[in-house]
Every structure is written in structure tokens, then in C-alpha cells.
């Protein structure tokens, strides 16, 4: 992609409405534009990142055995009256009346709708286990939308719903999501810590929020330092191995880690002082077992092998896909701008032509651009007539993992400069070696 024709409306100045760094950088890099309070348009650069994150989430959900479907954003109020949540949900729910005076709503979540889908088709123990998920926009009329996409009113969520016959089976479904989440966030270059979270009236130990430690986070959290240093999960997870999966969950839930609502002051005080972490965190995911909370009122019953009808056991599992764009920036930036982890970067390489008016520079840059694209590497090629300083500043701001600089002086000696955004490390290489380096993997 040539920057001269790319729609990337960057800002030189810090926008005054942005209070936190991710919001500031997303606006400055031209990733999003506010449409109204807490509602954003995703511009090409931001949209690419959103899609990358979505794809990682999808791949890991699929790997765990979950199946993707798509439910609508608009739902009938009747279903929510059946579950009893229509009145409870309060002002966060955007209520809509259609032309026939039917009460509708813009879904803040989908427990009712998915339960409605399965109650008509899941009849017996043979139909479970199942885990169904979608990646769809939600609307919650937050009192105080803020921090850009981190607390929006309209936001993209992955929500999965598991269905099982027994509580033990539901635990295995829960554990699958637990492990899938560890892998999902690790692939994005994030350290997301599972922390005990509120289960409400359901009780039990099966609710965890996945939290990224960050000063700008809205949650108060407490954990043992050891868990921060845990290795991320390797590639080999057998999602059908009940005991192995329980082992993973046991290991990750052994050190103290809790959100404010579940904080146990005594247990925390028992941790050696130098191991206690008391911090702010960003909730990027939440997994939750709730048994028959919706299946019972909505009548989603399945037959046990002995013929008895029981409400299907359910859990729900959310990931804040659009929030993650901001959360990753909170976790990965420096004073010059964003530093994208390679897995979610909008482009892998920023190709900077220092002198597009120079025929030799333009020819070399075009050749590199073509070779990288032919190898499947996404390139943003700065072919604009602008000062080198401005070009470097833009590339640093948008945070692509690699910058490849083509200039007349280097070319005369047969070299280009390769810079790694994260470390700032620079290296002069022949064009061929630079290409070889960037097309590895
Ligand atoms: P929060 O405590 O931040 O309000 P929540 O607990 O109400 O979130 P869940 O119902 O657990 O949210 O939704 C699943 C995920 O969706 C959350 O873990 C979070 O990552 C994301 N999410 C929730 N609300 C918002 C929002 N207003 N804007 C962006 N993402 C959100
Ligand atoms: Mg939550």
C-alpha cells in the first residue's frame, strides 16, 4: 500500500479530548474517528488491527472446538422478559420501538438469544457438549463512555456460550475457554492474568476476568508476583484431555489473583510483601459459569440418558475485541508512538523512500515493495514527498514492527537501513539481505 494514496488522517497535535495514551495514539495515527459519544468509525489502519485481533480470537476459539455463528445485533424484548432481565438491565440497554410498536433492543449481550436458539434444537444428552460463539457488535449505554474504544457504547465482542449436561462437563467446557484465552492473549503479545471474579448469586469458583496490568485500567486488582512471570502456554494443548486441561487451570489459579469484588484481604496479606502486586488492570476477557440461570426460565431442557429432562448447563465467555486494540497500545508504546506486536500489526513493514523524486530511489523502493508483497508481507510504502524527519515520525507513530529506509546515499553503496521499531536497533544491509530477513517465516 502506498501511503500517498492510503487514507490515514494522522494528527500532529495531541487531541485534547483524549485522556489516556491509547486513545491519544489511536486518534493521532488516524485509526478511529468518533462518530458520537462512545461510538467510533474504524478507519483503514484501525480496522486492519481490529480484524487481526478478531482473527486470532477466532482461530483460538475454533482450535478449542467452539463453533462460530452470527446472531443479530437487534433482539426482541420478549425474550428478555422471559429471562427476567428486561427490567433489571436498566438504562444501559438501548431500547427501540419498531414501526409496529414492538419492543426491540440493541443487544448488550446474547445469553437469551442463544438460549432461544438451542431450546428449539438441543433435545438430549447426545446434543451436548457444544460451544457456540459469535463476534458481533454490542451496545451498552455506558454512563461514562471514555478512554476511546476502551469503554465505548458500541463495541465489538466475542461471546461464546457452552452447553453441557452436567456441572462436571460444564467445568471442562469452562477449562477449555480458560486455556484458549491464555493462548489468545499470548498470541497478541499480551500478558493477561486470569483473576477470580464475581459470580453473583451463582457462587462457586468458575468466574475469571482476564486482566492486563496497566495504570490506566479501570479495575482494581491484586495478585501474587509469581503469576506475572508464568510462561505463556505453548502450542500443545489437547482440549479433549480433561485432566490435562484441569492441570493447566489449577496451575494458573494457584497463585493469588483477584479483582476488587473477590479480594480477600487476609489471604493477600499472607503473601510475602515483595510478592504482592496491587495494581490497576484492564479487563480484556471474562469467562463465567452460570448453570441453569437462563436455561431454566427459558425452558432449554435436555434429556438425560435415563430420560429425565434437565435444564442445560451453561457458561458464557466474552472477549472485548475492540477494547483490545486500545489495551494492546496501553501495554505496548513508547514516547514516539505505538509499538505493535507483530501478530496484530496493521502492516509488517513500513518502507520509507527518503527521496521519491530520485529515480533510483523510487525504482529500488518499488522493487522492494513488489518483492515483499509477492512474499505475502504487508507493506506500507511511504512514497510521499515529505521531509525525512516527518516520515520517520509518522512511521514511529503508527508503530509498524519494521522500518526499511531507502535513501540515495545508502543506495550508492548498495545498502538500505532496517530498523526494528521495538528496540530501535538499526542495521545496514544489502537489499537482498533485507528482503531475506523480512520474508523469513
Ligand atoms: P466492564 O467491567 O469493563 O464494564 P463487563 O464486565 O461489564 O465490563 P462483560 O459483560 O464481562 O463486561 O463483557 C465481556 C468483555 O467485553 C469484557 O471483558 C470487556 O473486555 C468487553 N467490554 C465490556 N464493556 C465494554 C465497553 N463498554 N467497551 C468496550 N469493551 C467492553
Ligand atoms: Mg466482565
Amino acid at each position: 500500500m502506498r501511503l500517498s494514496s492510503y487514507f490515514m488522517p494522522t494528527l500532529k497535535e495531541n487531541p485534547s479530548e483524549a485522556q489516556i495514551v491509547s486513545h491519544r495514539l489511536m486518534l493521532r495515527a488516524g485509526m478511529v474517528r468518533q462518530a458520537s459519544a462512545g461510538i467510533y468509525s474504524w478507519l483503514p489502519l484501525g480496522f486492519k488491527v481490529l480484524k487481526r485481533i478478531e482473527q486470532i480470537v477466532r482461530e483460538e476459539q475454533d482450535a478449542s472446538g467452539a463453533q462460530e455463528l452470527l446472531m443479530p445485533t437487534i433482539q426482541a424484548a420478549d425474550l428478555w422478559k422471559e429471562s427476567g432481565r428486561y427490567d433489571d438491565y436498566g438504562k444501559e440497554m438501548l431500547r427501540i420501538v419498531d414501526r409496529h410498536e414492538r419492543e426491540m433492543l440493541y443487544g448488550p449481550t446474547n445469553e437469551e438469544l442463544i438460549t432461544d436458539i438451542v431450546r428449539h434444537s438441543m433435545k438430549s444428552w447426545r446434543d451436548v457438549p457444544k460451544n457456540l460463539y459469535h463476534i458481533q457488535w454490542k451496545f451498552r449505554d455506558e454512563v461514562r463512555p471514555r478512554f476511546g474504544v476502551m469503554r465505548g457504547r458500541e463495541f465489538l465482542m466475542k461471546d461464546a456460550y457452552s452447553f453441557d449436561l452436567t456441572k462436571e462437563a460444564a467445568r471442562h467446557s469452562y477449562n477449555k475457554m480458560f486455556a484458549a484465552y491464555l493462548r489468545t492473549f499470548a498470541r497478541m503479545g499480551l500478558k493477561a492474568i486470569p483473576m477470580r471474579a464475581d459470580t453473583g448469586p451463582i457462587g462457586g469458583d468458575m468466574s475469571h476476568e482476564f486482566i492486563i496490568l496497566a495504570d490506566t485500567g479501570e479495575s482494581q486488582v491484586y495478585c501474587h508476583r509469581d503469576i506475572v512471570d508464568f510462561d505463556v502456554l505453548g502450542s500443545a494443548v489437547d482440549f479433549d484431555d480433561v485432566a490435562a486441561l484441569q492441570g493447566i487451570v489449577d496451575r494458573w489459579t494457584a497463585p493469588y489473583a483477584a479483582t476488587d469484588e473477590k479480594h480477600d484481604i487476609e489471604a493477600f496479606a499472607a503473601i510475602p510483601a515483595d510478592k504482592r502486586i496491587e495494581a490497576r488492570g484492564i479487563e480484556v476477557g471474562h469467562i463465567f459459569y452460570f448453570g441453569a440461570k437462563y436455561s431454566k426460565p427459558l425452558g432449554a431442557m435436555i434429556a438425560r440418558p435415563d430420560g429425565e429432562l434437565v435444564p442445560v448447563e451453561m457458561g458464557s465467555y466474552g472477549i472485548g475485541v475492540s477494547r483490545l486494540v486500545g489495551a494492546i497500545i496501553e501495554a505496548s508504546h513508547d514516547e514516539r508512538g505505538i509499538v505493535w506486536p507483530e501478530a496484530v500489526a496493521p502492516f509488517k513493514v513500513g518502507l520509507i523512500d527518503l527521496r521519491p523524486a530520485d529515480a533510483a530511489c523510487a525504482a529500488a523502493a518499488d522493487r522492494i515493495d513488489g518483492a515483499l508483497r509477492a512474499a505475502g508481507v504487508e507493506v506500507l510504502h511511504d512514497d510521499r514527498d515529505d521531509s525525512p524527519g516527518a516520515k520517520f515520525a509518522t512511521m514511529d507513530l503508527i508503530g509498524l514492527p519494521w522500518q526499511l529506509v531507502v535513501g540515495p546515499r545508502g543506495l550508492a553503496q548498495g545498502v538500505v537501513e532496517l530498523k526494528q521499531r521495538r528496540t530501535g536497533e538499526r542495521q545496514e544491509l544489502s537489499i537482498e539481505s533485507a528482503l531475506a530477513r523480512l520474508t523469513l517465516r
Side-chain angles (χ1 to χ4, degrees):
M1 178 60 67
R2 285 177 187 273
L3 197 43
S4 59
S5 54
Y6 195 49
F7 184 65
M8 191 179 83
T10 53
L11 304 175
K12 287 216 169 57
E13 305 299 324
N14 273 328
S16 58
E17 74 265 33
Q19 297 164 278
I20 62 170
V21 67
S22 58
H23 188 196
R24 225 162 25 234
L25 290 173
M26 286 181 74
L27 292 173
R28 283 197 49 209
M31 293 176 63
V32 288
R33 201 186 149 77
Q34 184 175 303
S36 55
I39 303 180
Y40 290 85
S41 298
W42 291 80
L43 307 185
L45 191 76
F47 189 56
K48 259 176 174 295
V49 177
L50 188 69
K51 287 286 159 188
R52 292 246 197 280
I53 293 171
E54 183 183 316
Q55 187 55 24
I56 292 174
V57 170
R58 175 176 291 116
E59 286 170 13
E60 295 301 327
Q61 290 292 294
D62 291 349
S64 79
Q67 300 170 36
E68 187 171 13
L69 46 65
L70 183 60
M71 291 178 269
T73 54
I74 308 287
Q75 307 180 20
D78 284 347
L79 264 179
W80 289 69
K81 290 181 179 164
E82 263 188 80
S83 76
R85 271 211 291 186
Y86 190 63
D87 294 326
D88 294 353
Y89 219 95
K91 289 196 164 174
E92 266 189 24
M93 182 186 273
L94 180 64
R95 295 155 210 260
I96 304 166
V97 179
D98 74 9
R99 68 196 297 166
H100 304 293
E101 302 289 322
R102 273 187 296 250
E103 291 176 290
M104 311 292 287
L105 55 99
Y106 195 119
T109 178
N110 283 59
E111 281 83 3
E112 282 79 359
L113 200 50
I114 195 81
T115 309
D116 179 52
I117 291 171
V118 305
R119 70 176 163 179
H120 295 298
S121 44
M122 244 176 224
K123 299 288 180 201
S124 92
W125 59 277
R126 288 187 200 85
D127 298 324
V128 295
K130 288 271 179 312
N131 186 320
L132 304 172
Y133 76 97
H134 73 162
I135 300 173
Q136 177 64 290
W137 294 90
K138 306 290 185 290
F139 194 93
R140 294 182 187 173
D141 205 351
E142 302 272 357
V143 200
R144 217 146 73 91
R146 57 184 185 151
F147 299 162
V149 301
M150 298 263 268
R151 181 164 301 282
R153 292 199 296 165
E154 189 180 61
F155 60 96
L156 189 60
M157 194 205 283
K158 182 285 300 182
D159 38 325
Y161 304 88
S162 64
F163 304 92
D164 285 281
L165 180 64
T166 63
K167 178 155 186 196
E168 298 69 64
R171 180 176 289 276
H172 180 53
S173 293
Y174 182 89
N175 291 350
K176 282 187 187 178
M177 285 292 111
F178 191 108
Y181 276 38
L182 288 175
R183 290 178 46 82
T184 301
F185 298 123
R187 275 186 64 186
M188 294 172 193
L190 289 174
K191 185 113 234 178
I193 303 169
M195 301 204 181
R196 291 191 66 163
D198 206 10
T199 43
I202 309 285
D205 60 347
M206 288 209 278
S207 173
H208 286 88
E209 286 178 6
F210 286 72
I211 302 273
I212 294 170
L213 301 182
D215 294 340
T216 48
E218 294 188 89
S219 314
Q220 179 65 33
V221 297
Y222 305 85
C223 68
H224 194 295
R225 187 170 299 282
D226 285 359
I227 198 169
V228 179
D229 299 326
F230 271 16
D231 292 343
V232 294
L233 279 187
S235 53
V237 174
D238 179 353
F239 285 95
D240 295 321
D241 188 333
V242 176
L245 223 47
Q246 187 62 52
I248 291 172
V249 174
D250 288 347
R251 173 161 183 268
W252 279 85
T253 51
Y256 187 87
T259 60
D260 217 10
E261 299 82 37
K262 277 292 196 183
H263 186 43
D264 176 342
I265 295 171
E266 266 174 47
F268 191 62
I271 300 171
D274 62 327
K275 292 280 193 183
R276 271 179 237 151
I277 294 183
E278 208 175 318
R280 303 295 291 176
I282 302 168
E283 178 189 331
V284 288
H286 191 173
I287 60 177
F288 192 25
Y289 160 79
F290 48 73
K293 183 170 179 200
Y294 301 97
S295 52
K296 205 167 173 186
L298 291 172
M301 312 291 283
I302 55 173
R304 299 198 315 206
D306 66 7
E308 191 187 334
L309 283 180
V310 291
V312 67
E313 289 279 326
M314 292 175 60
S316 77
Y317 314 91
I319 290 183
V321 176
S322 51
R323 175 178 286 180
L324 272 165
V325 181
I328 290 171
I329 297 174
E330 289 295 323
S332 186
H333 66 271
D334 62 19
E335 63 293 344
R336 294 192 305 278
I338 303 167
V339 180
W340 289 118
E342 204 154 312
V344 299
F347 298 88
K348 179 172 173 177
V349 181
L351 174 61
I352 301 177
D353 181 352
L354 288 177
R355 192 84 62 78
D358 177 306
C361 281
D366 285 350
R367 185 164 81 77
I368 293 169
D369 188 340
L372 288 174
R373 275 187 295 136
V377 175
E378 288 210 64
V379 190
L380 185 61
H381 175 172
D382 190 349
D383 59 340
R384 298 167 313 160
D385 182 20
D386 209 340
S387 74
K391 292 188 173 205
F392 290 131
T394 301
M395 276 304 171
D396 281 349
L397 171 65
I398 67 172
L400 309 182
W402 298 96
Q403 296 173 12
L404 190 58
V405 186
V406 179
R409 220 173 323 140
L411 277 187
Q413 291 156 27
V415 293
V416 290
E417 187 182 69
L418 183 63
K419 176 180 144 187
Q420 189 173 15
R421 174 68 179 88
R422 186 173 294 281
T423 59
E425 201 180 300
R426 297 156 192 275
Q427 216 181 347
E428 290 202 328
L429 296 168
S430 70
I431 291 180
E432 295 322 312
S433 333
L435 287 175
R437 180 75 58 87
L438 292 171
T439 53
L440 276 181
R441 279 187 303 147

